Amino acid sequence: MSQLETLVNALPKAELHLHLEGSLEPEMMFELARRNGVELKYGSVDEIRAAYDFSNLQDFLDLYYQGMAVLQTEQDFYDLTSAYLAKAAADNVRHVEVFFDPQAHMERGIVFETVLNGIRRALQDGHIRHGITFSLIMCFLRHLSEEEAFALLEVATPYLDQIDGVGLDSSELGHPPSKFKRVFEEAGILGLKRVAHAGEEGPPEYIWEALQEIGVDRIDHGNAAARDQRLVDHLVETGMTLTMCPLSNQRLCVTPDLITNPLAKLLRAGVRVTVNSDDPSYFGGYVNDNYLAIADALDLTPAEIIMLARNSFIGSFLPDADKERYLDEIDTVVSELAAPGI
Ligand code: ADE
Ligand code: ZN
């Protein structure tokens, strides 16, 4: 194992940007299609993988929404979430803050409780089995209307003790954060954390909107910030966290390759950058794969890799005492490894 792999494997990490539906591996898609009598348009796992060749976000989303049609029962959502947690545990991930997309299931006739109960039960069992702590973030699909987002918030209101935050995902261009200003305001009043995908394909103005009109606690992706120095300065001054996803950016052609990813530029400017996998089944890698690929492409130093792991806990919704405990653990791991360059 290389020194880089040893370091990345050894570091405790949090994953803050993960769509559970995007962790649906082709093998499980096949198995659930068989179990639920759903017809797939692919004849094999290899055919599914071969279809994962995207030119942009929408290309991916079209397959993502198709793929999740196999998720029908509470057990399916339990199995999906459990499989992700096993992968996360293998990558030494200690805390996860995961997204789910209820509207994409409800429009197929799946009731909200089926989705929520399967996911929650798996998260609780994952805590027992792997020691992984968690937050759950319910996303509004931004290609749908404000009215539909309000309707979801109403359905979810009796379950707010089981949901930690709300997010905003799906097709970004043409659907600025300001479209959901009022629903996020209401979510804030209900005591929910707020995050939003911004600046993945969209311009820096969408990041400004997420910050100033929605009052987000974190920005998901945020790549476009690198094109606006005033925004970079603002992110640094306010200690805002970006949940970046390098392999996703590469596969969705947000950046032409990993070498042009703005992650190092933002990190070196002092922005609180984190590394995450987004939709690992579709983009070819879980969280450690993302650390390794971006560290290699951008020549990140060991100190920078350690900073990314530290940021993942600092930028999480964990209580301060838990953050401190994980940061102490990172210090212990680093001193035991005596990693070069520190
Ligand atoms: N839904 C799942 N993955 C997404 C991404 N990378 N961007 C926007 N919406 C998503
Ligand atoms: Zn995402």
Side-chain angles (χ1 to χ4, degrees), residues 26-265:
E27 289 79 4
M28 184 177 282
M29 198 187 289
F30 247 82
E31 168 59 20
L32 296 185
R34 193 194 51 74
R35 186 153 103 186
N36 294 324
V38 174
E39 199 166 331
L40 288 179
K41 62 178 203 186
Y42 306 102
S44 69
V45 163
D46 286 344
E47 263 184 50
I48 300 183
R49 286 222 160 82
Y52 294 171
D53 180 21
F54 312 115
S55 311
N56 54 42
L57 174 59
Q58 194 59 50
D59 256 10
F60 153 70
L61 289 169
D62 292 344
L63 286 199
Y64 170 79
Y65 294 123
Q66 260 176 43
M68 65 176 80
V70 302
L71 296 164
Q72 305 251 329
T73 67
E74 183 177 321
Q75 188 64 40
D76 299 340
F77 288 95
Y78 179 91
D79 291 346
L80 173 75
T81 307
S82 297
Y84 162 65
L85 292 170
K87 298 271 197 187
D91 275 359
N92 209 1
V93 170
R94 305 296 181 79
H95 176 72
V96 298
E97 304 197 344
V98 293
F99 300 129
F100 72 124
D101 283 332
Q103 287 164 304
H105 308 301
M106 289 157 68
E107 71 182 11
R108 302 183 288 110
I110 314 292
V111 296
F112 181 79
E113 291 83 347
T114 300
V115 181
L116 182 65
N117 291 346
I119 291 173
R120 288 288 306 187
R121 200 157 50 78
L123 289 170
Q124 281 155 353
D125 287 354
H127 184 215
I128 295 165
R129 193 170 302 142
H130 307 295
I132 296 178
T133 50
F134 57 88
S135 289
L136 184 57
I137 300 172
M138 178 180 85
C139 287
F140 303 115
L141 298 182
R142 68 201 308 158
H143 66 272
L144 300 180
S145 66
E146 181 199 39
E147 193 185 348
E148 286 163 298
F150 266 117
L152 173 61
L153 192 57
E154 196 175 325
V155 168
T157 297
Y159 305 97
L160 291 188
D161 57 330
Q162 300 174 52
I163 297 168
D164 303 285
V166 289
L168 186 63
D169 66 1
S170 197
S171 321
E172 186 180 10
L173 289 171
H175 303 285
S178 52
K179 177 177 166 187
F180 297 93
K181 181 181 164 78
R182 293 188 306 179
V183 76
F184 272 83
E185 205 167 82
E186 180 65 25
I189 291 167
L190 291 169
L192 293 161
K193 298 282 189 193
R194 289 168 286 182
V195 300
H197 284 54
E200 181 184 16
E201 284 189 341
E205 289 70 32
Y206 283 21
I207 302 176
W208 282 114
E209 278 191 17
L211 296 168
Q212 295 180 330
E213 298 201 35
I214 291 200
V216 289
D217 297 288
R218 272 198 312 251
I219 293 285
D220 297 314
H221 293 294
N223 296 49
R227 309 203 301 261
D228 179 341
Q229 187 56 45
R230 204 167 60 82
L231 179 52
V232 171
D233 294 343
H234 180 76
L235 295 173
V236 174
E237 275 160 26
T238 54
M240 180 56 54
T241 299
L242 302 188
T243 65
M244 299 191 78
C245 308
L247 289 176
S248 164
N249 296 158
Q250 185 187 23
R251 294 293 283 267
L252 300 186
C253 308
V254 167
T255 54
D257 49 37
L258 286 170
I259 293 169
T260 45
N261 194 291
L263 183 143
K265 177 182 170 183

Side-chain angles (χ1 to χ4, degrees), residues 3 6 19 79 110 124 204 207 209 274 283 327:
Q3 277 189 340
T6 304
H19 303 262
D79 291 346
I110 314 292
Q124 281 155 353
I207 302 176
E209 278 191 17
T274 65
F283 303 146
L327 294 177

